[in-house]
Amino acid sequence: QCGAAFQGVRNRSGTLGCGNGFYSLKIAKLVGERGKVLAVDIQSEMLHLLKERAKEAEITNVEPVLGSV
């Protein structure tokens, strides 16, 4: 299982164009509580949706980042 490679390590990952966090939240589970995911999008509305979904899923290791073009 590929998730086993991430466990117990302080991993950092990023998603560009994260949207509502579909992949960011999955990656956050893979990197675990000690890891962090930087989720970048240029739309603040999408980052708001990501924050809501992360809160609902009790995921705390995703950091939404507002990007620019």
Side-chain angles (χ1 to χ4, degrees), residues 3 8 12 17-18 23-24 26-27 30 44-45 51 57 61-62:
R12 300 208 184 275
C18 67
Y23 290 109
S24 301
K26 291 181 182 298
I27 294 169
L30 284 176
S44 58
E45 297 87 1
K51 289 178 193 176
N61 61 342
V62 175

Side-chain angles (χ1 to χ4, degrees), residues 15-22 24-25 37-55 59 62-68:
T15 54
L16 300 176
C18 67
N20 69 3
F22 181 81
S24 301
L25 297 177
V37 176
L38 299 176
V40 182
D41 205 291
I42 60 171
Q43 295 185 43
S44 58
E45 297 87 1
M46 290 292 111
L47 296 177
H48 178 72
L49 290 173
L50 166 63
K51 289 178 193 176
E52 287 182 348
R53 292 186 71 215
K55 183 177 180 180
I59 295 174
V62 175
E63 183 178 329
V65 178
L66 182 61
S68 62

Side-chain angles (χ1 to χ4, degrees), residues 2 22 33 56 63:
C2 80
F22 181 81
E33 294 178 7
E56 183 178 303
E63 183 178 329

